[in-house]
Amino acid sequence: MRTHLCGRVTERDLDSEVTLCGWVNRRRDHGGVIFVDLRDHAGLVQVVFDPDRAEVFARAEQLRSEYVIRMTGRVRRRPEGTENPELTTGAVEILGLELEVLNAAKTPPFPLDDEDVGEDTRLRYRYMDLRRPEMQERLRLRGRVTAAMRRFLEERDFLDIETPMLTRATPEGARDYLVPSRTHAGSFFALPQSPQLFKQLLMMSGMDRYYQITRCFRDEDLRADRQPEFTQLDLEMAFVDEADVMGVTEELMRHLFREVMGIELDDPFPRMSHAEAMTRFGSDKPDLRIPLEFTELTEVMQAVEFKVFNGPANDPEGRVAALRVPGGAKLTRKEIDVYTEYVGRYGAKGLAYIKVNDPADLEGGLQSPILKFLPEDVTRQILDRTAAAAGDLIFFGADKASVVNEAIGALRVKLGHDLDMVEPGWRPLWVVDFPMFEWDADDQRLYALHHPFTAPATDSPEALRENPREAMSRAYDMVLNGTEVGGGSIRIHNPEMQQAAFEALGIGEEEAREKFGFLLDALHFGAPPHGGLAFGLDRLVMLMSGAHSIRDVMAFPKTQTAACLLTDAPAPVGEKPLRELGIRLRAGVAGDGAQ
């Protein structure tokens, strides 16, 4: 139907006749001459309809935004002074000779060049939203990334293998999406949270190197970088250690940025232990572009009488830390109140601070409502340890260590962005030496920090049983500009060690056999040492494209309530299919979702 793409008509085509198809981006009537910006996926070109061709001109007068047309015309140079250097086609225009309306269009629900359209509207009319050039470029970038991933891995003998979408529900951290079985009444499949167990089974099958760009499903609370269904690059390797997996995946990341974006990342990526990351930044995914760090004050505060500080300082699970903000003394009390409210979202009960006007003058050079509670020697230690200078502001976090880390860690990031302190560029990082488990005080039990199949740093199952709370794992996370883009580990390949890990998690032998019997059986038939990593493709493309949400790099995402506004899913189903599945809704649950 066409000889050229709209965005690829250039001076090479001068005086030639072309046929184009596309959408009317904009129509302008200038003194009897009609100008149409015609758009397709390749870009825009200007078409001119002259009244000398009355029949074609009359059709052009009927055109409106988003009409789909086919036109034939002659390429000519734009008049001097009317060129548009912003467009590839900006030196030329097309004199319209023929025009066919392939499809009329209603008035669009929103102008495609309007940046202030609400997200609900964009998602409801997603097919319109995806016509916008920035959305199309993000999806093209995603396509280039996945193509580069495949080429890289296949050149290194990785085999693309699909794993099942209908599988068994297993405890992997988030809720499963359950699928009722019609042929096995009362039983359910689960959609996979990841291909974790299947890729381990592939290693036990002798596949050696596996990869898959796959859909995963988690029924969890959502946010900007989470979706109920998302895409991973999943890979696994046999007969490897941490250095092997990290080496290949780090090389892959450098390859992607070099090939897709023309950017060279660090070689090698720096490494930081989990403990150091938490101590310095309160986060296991620190954004190294922000030059703010915690200063540890727990020991300093143990003897002060100020209960806000000495309580957490003398609590084995507590922490007192300071965050020095260079130039932060300019913040007003109102702005500090806003930050106090912000850290409250993370469980902090308040936000103490000291404004430093003159660090040499402890009496008149400091401003803070807490100074009267602190001895001078403690105040001096705070200033010395934080290296505070005139004009700085010191924020304090004092609570359970988990609260301090989360609240002040989030404050660090927010201040970095609010005060324009984020350094340009890309800062990759490996975070290593993770604890094997984390203790949940509410449930009074251990949970796997990564997943139950992560190998501990010890080779002794007895050592793991004796002191699981102190056990370290062979896990590693790749962090980029404060976002975890990939995580993995060396896996347990010894059945006794796997049983010990289950025991630490409170999974008894009977439950382990019932839920993971197939894996335990496979471990008894000769399992090789193996390990791997999974990249969050959506998060990675979000970062590379500069988007603020993974929804902007997915063609048809869900809302933050896991709904599809485009198709009105999820939706009630009729009584007959429910009856076939052996399902009956409880009294009070209506088919329209009302309770």
Side-chain angles (χ1 to χ4, degrees):
M1 294 184 69
R2 58 192 176 188
T3 62
H4 291 67
L5 296 174
C6 296
R8 296 178 187 167
V9 180
T10 65
E11 291 173 285
R12 297 191 308 268
D13 304 301
L14 285 171
D15 299 323
S16 63
E17 192 171 282
V18 298
T19 298
L20 308 177
C21 295
W23 286 263
V24 174
N25 195 65
R26 189 168 56 150
R27 172 190 168 278
R28 310 182 304 281
D29 193 333
H30 287 183
V33 177
I34 294 174
F35 293 87
V36 170
D37 291 336
L38 189 61
R39 182 191 77 241
D40 64 12
H41 74 280
L44 288 172
V45 67
Q46 179 172 281
V47 181
V48 181
F49 292 98
D50 195 300
D52 290 347
R53 294 171 174 79
E55 185 177 344
V56 174
F57 188 82
R59 290 198 197 104
E61 286 184 309
Q62 305 304 312
L63 297 180
R64 297 293 183 270
S65 292
E66 302 309 309
Y67 272 42
V68 183
I69 68 172
R70 179 174 184 255
M71 61 79 54
T72 297
R74 184 164 299 279
V75 182
R76 67 186 188 186
R77 194 178 298 279
R78 286 199 190 192
E80 187 175 349
T82 66
E83 301 92 342
N84 185 349
E86 300 298 318
L87 296 176
T88 305
T89 62
V92 300
E93 63 185 15
I94 301 172
L95 176 63
L97 305 176
E98 299 176 21
L99 173 62
E100 178 185 0
V101 176
L102 299 175
N103 213 334
K106 292 182 178 180
T107 302
F110 55 86
L112 298 192
D113 58 357
D114 187 348
E115 296 296 326
D116 296 322
V117 179
E119 187 176 56
D120 282 0
T121 302
R122 289 178 54 203
L123 293 180
R124 187 172 300 281
Y125 299 97
R126 190 61 163 182
Y127 44 86
M128 299 296 299
D129 191 40
L130 290 176
R131 293 180 190 178
R132 297 192 299 132
E134 58 265 44
M135 293 300 294
Q136 296 206 349
E137 179 51 38
R138 287 168 184 161
L139 292 184
R140 281 195 287 268
L141 173 67
R142 184 181 180 122
R144 293 196 299 272
V145 168
T146 56
M149 284 176 168
R150 291 186 185 280
R151 287 194 298 270
F152 177 91
L153 293 169
E154 287 167 8
E155 287 171 1
R156 287 156 182 80
D157 297 326
F158 282 83
L159 184 61
D160 184 1
I161 305 176
E162 294 179 342
T163 54
M165 284 297 177
L166 296 176
T167 183
R168 183 186 180 89
T170 56
E172 292 186 43
R175 296 184 200 91
D176 287 317
Y177 277 100
L178 299 177
V179 181
S181 170
R182 180 183 60 80
T183 54
H184 300 272
S187 294
F188 294 81
F189 293 106
L191 300 180
Q193 295 184 32
S194 77
Q196 181 62 47
L197 297 180
F198 286 104
K199 67 182 180 182
Q200 289 190 244
L201 291 171
L202 286 171
M203 295 301 100
M204 300 171 200
S205 305
M207 293 296 106
D208 198 70
R209 288 189 168 200
Y210 138 95
Y211 87 96
Q212 183 182 189
I213 297 176
T214 184
R215 230 31 181 170
C216 301
F217 306 86
R218 294 181 186 175
D219 186 6
E220 60 185 349
D221 295 333
L222 305 180
R223 59 189 186 211
D225 58 352
R226 281 184 180 169
Q227 279 279 290
E229 51 180 326
F230 57 95
T231 305
Q232 282 185 184
L233 166 64
D234 202 48
L235 59 88
E236 198 80 4
M237 305 163 65
F239 302 108
V240 292
D241 60 15
E242 295 92 326
D244 297 315
V245 180
M246 294 167 71
V248 167
T249 51
E250 181 178 317
E251 185 184 356
L252 168 61
M253 188 61 63
R254 279 195 296 271
H255 171 79
L256 290 178
F257 272 77
R258 183 185 306 117
E259 180 167 312
V260 177
M261 301 183 68
I263 290 172
E264 293 291 336
L265 296 182
D266 292 349
D267 185 5
F269 291 1
R271 298 188 183 191
M272 182 181 297
S273 72
H274 176 266
E276 181 183 352
M278 300 305 292
T279 298
R280 293 173 59 188
F281 307 107
S283 171
D284 58 5
K285 46 183 183 294
D287 189 342
L288 300 184
R289 300 172 302 164
I290 298 172
L292 300 176
E293 294 191 21
F294 288 17
T295 298
E296 191 62 46
L297 295 175
T298 304
E299 184 181 347
V300 174
M301 298 299 179
Q302 287 177 342
V304 302
E305 295 182 3
F306 188 34
K307 290 184 179 180
V308 171
F309 284 168
N310 75 12
N314 289 286
D315 182 344
E317 297 181 359
R319 182 180 190 188
V320 182
L323 184 71
R324 179 180 69 89
V325 184
K330 64 186 178 184
L331 292 175
T332 65
R333 180 57 189 267
K334 183 177 180 181
E335 290 171 320
I336 292 174
D337 287 344
V338 169
Y339 289 122
T340 302
E341 181 181 347
Y342 178 75
V343 297
R345 302 177 198 171
Y346 298 90
K349 301 178 183 67
L351 185 61
Y353 68 90
I354 296 176
K355 284 189 176 184
V356 182
N357 300 316
D358 181 359
D361 182 2
L362 296 187
E363 290 188 9
L366 307 178
Q367 291 176 261
S368 172
I370 67 169
L371 286 173
K372 58 188 176 184
F373 302 112
L374 300 177
E376 283 194 4
D377 66 312
V378 170
T379 303
R380 173 53 60 195
Q381 286 188 68
I382 292 170
L383 296 175
D384 289 345
R385 291 193 180 205
T386 59
D392 291 351
L393 177 69
I394 303 171
F395 282 122
F396 297 88
D399 209 309
K400 297 290 186 184
S402 58
V403 173
V404 172
N405 291 339
E406 191 168 1
I408 307 303
L411 177 65
R412 170 184 175 270
V413 174
K414 183 167 177 59
L415 285 166
H417 286 275
D418 288 354
L419 303 181
D420 199 23
M421 301 175 72
V422 182
E423 298 167 353
W426 298 92
R427 298 293 300 275
L429 173 71
W430 282 112
V431 178
V432 297
D433 300 331
F434 283 85
M436 184 82 175
F437 307 108
E438 57 184 344
W439 177 255
D440 188 299
D442 294 332
D443 293 346
Q444 289 292 296
R445 54 159 292 189
L446 292 172
Y447 285 93
L449 197 63
H450 281 78
H451 54 64
F453 319 107
T454 298
T458 178
D459 291 328
S460 168
E462 284 309 312
L464 182 62
R465 288 187 175 99
E466 288 171 7
N467 197 2
R469 294 182 71 164
E470 300 300 320
M472 303 299 290
S473 74
R474 299 178 68 182
Y476 35 81
D477 283 355
M478 184 186 291
V479 177
L480 183 63
N481 289 4
T483 296
E484 179 194 330
V485 293
S489 67
I490 300 300
R491 323 301 186 187
I492 295 172
H493 68 280
N494 177 287
E496 188 181 353
M497 183 66 82
Q498 186 64 74
Q499 187 61 52
F502 284 155
E503 290 171 11
L505 293 168
I507 300 174
E509 189 172 346
E510 184 176 337
E511 183 183 359
R513 168 55 53 184
E514 193 267 329
K515 291 181 176 176
F516 303 105
F518 60 95
L519 177 69
L520 295 174
D521 287 343
L523 289 173
H524 281 93
F525 284 100
H530 58 284
L533 182 142
F535 283 109
L537 179 64
D538 312 295
R539 288 186 185 181
L540 179 59
V541 177
M542 177 186 73
L543 290 175
M544 295 173 80
S545 69
H548 297 294
S549 165
I550 62 172
R551 291 188 290 276
D552 283 335
V553 298
M554 303 171 79
F556 300 104
K558 306 291 189 293
T559 67
Q560 288 201 5
T561 59
C564 176
L565 298 181
L566 176 66
T567 63
D568 272 338
V573 298
E575 188 175 327
K576 182 179 178 181
L578 289 177
R579 190 166 55 246
E580 290 175 341
L581 293 168
I583 293 176
R584 182 168 57 195
L585 297 180
R586 290 184 313 180
V589 179
D592 62 359
Q595 296 289 325

